[in-house]
């Protein structure tokens, strides 16, 4: 029987909820796997010394996350990153353009409700300069992206690994799974999400920043199907090495008036919302810091 552990970094827990969303299917696993450690599902304090598969949620924010992750890698035959924070840095990595001391000062000393604030430094993990996807710290064997990841993909990946098979993510983009009509005509004006779209028509063509062309499918285009622009939570497909830059290139080619003047701190939240930590821009930033 295979030994499995699940680990949360950065105090993350949302992706474990999707693990629980397997509902009755989770009962199909006990005959194939023994869950030996899980901060969410078990009252177990010590990391096991040896497991076959480790599912890791959350990015690397502190030296404690870094140390825990290295122990997990050392103890595990296979490491699977699940959720966009673990795979790509996620929303927390949007802090990376801001120096860490400036961020701590803003959070603990300068908020409107803070009086006599103190930046904590005793008996707490030390924050790293940058939020990192776990692949920047240890070797990662497989990824299940998404915010949150799809329960079906978690189940399919774990089942494949238990049966000794290679798990595969779809190579499609979100647009490949989207049924909205495309007319090949693009609005030059950028629209805000509160503006009502024309039902049934491609949101990108209507002027909404829908990241479907640069985002891995597998979600059945759930958001565009409800006339909500894709915000790219599943990260780049196999053919888009940098999701944000690919989308920036696509929008510039179809209607460059939408972009105007690019500003990193503003536009990173649009084009790299879930992937900044794994982006070429973030890697360049870290290299210049050394």
């Amino acid at each position: 029987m295979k030994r499995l552990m699940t680990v949360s970094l950065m105090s993350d827990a949302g992706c474990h909820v999707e693990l629980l969303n397997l509902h009755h299917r989770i009962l199909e696993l006990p005959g194939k796997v023994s869950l030996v450690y899980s901060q969410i599902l078990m009252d177990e304090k010590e990391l096991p010394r040896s497991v076959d598969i480790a599912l890791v949620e959350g990015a690397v924010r502190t030296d404690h996350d870094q140390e825990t992750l290295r122990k997990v890698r050392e103890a595990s035959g296979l490491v699977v990153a699940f959720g966009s924070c673990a795979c790509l840095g996620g929303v927390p990595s949007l802090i990376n353009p801001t120096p860490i001391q400036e961020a701590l000062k803003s959070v603990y000393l300068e908020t409107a409700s803070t009086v006599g604030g103190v930046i904590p430094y005793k008996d707490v993990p030390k924050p790293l300069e940058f939020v990192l996807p776990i692949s920047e710290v240890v070797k990662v064997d497989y990824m299940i992206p998404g915010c949150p990841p799809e329960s079906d993909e978690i189940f399919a990946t774990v089942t494949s690994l238990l049966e000794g098979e290679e798990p595969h993510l779809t190579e499609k983009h979100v647009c490949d799974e989207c049924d909205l009509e495309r007319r090949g005509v693009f609005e030059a004006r950028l629209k805000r999400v509160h503006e009502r779209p024309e039902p049934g028509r491609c949101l990108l063509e209507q002027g909404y920043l829908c990241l479907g062309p640069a985002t891995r499918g597998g979600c059945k285009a759930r958001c565009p199907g409800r006339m909500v622009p894709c915000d790219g939570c599943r990260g780049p497909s196999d053919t888009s090495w940098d999701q944000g830059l690919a989308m920036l290139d696509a929008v510039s080619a179809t209607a460059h008036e939408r972009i105007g003047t690019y500003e990193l701190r503003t536009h990173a939240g649009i084009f790299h919302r879930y992937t900044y930590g794994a982006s070429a821009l973030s890697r360049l930033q870290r290299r210049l810091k050394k």
Side-chain angles (χ1 to χ4, degrees), residues 15-16 40 53 59-60 62 71 88 106 122 127-128 148 186 214 216-217 234 250 255 283:
C15 298
H16 274 76
I40 306 299
I53 305 168
V60 180
T62 67
K71 288 181 179 178
L88 306 160
S106 175
K122 290 184 66 176
L128 303 179
F186 292 84
R216 184 186 297 278
R234 291 177 57 77
R283 288 174 180 168

Side-chain angles (χ1 to χ4, degrees), residues 78 80 141-143 153 156-158 160-161 164-169:
L78 296 172
V80 181
D141 299 289
Y142 300 100
M143 293 187 181
E153 281 190 337
T157 299
V158 172
S160 294
L161 294 176
E165 299 174 353
E166 191 84 5
H168 294 284
L169 298 175

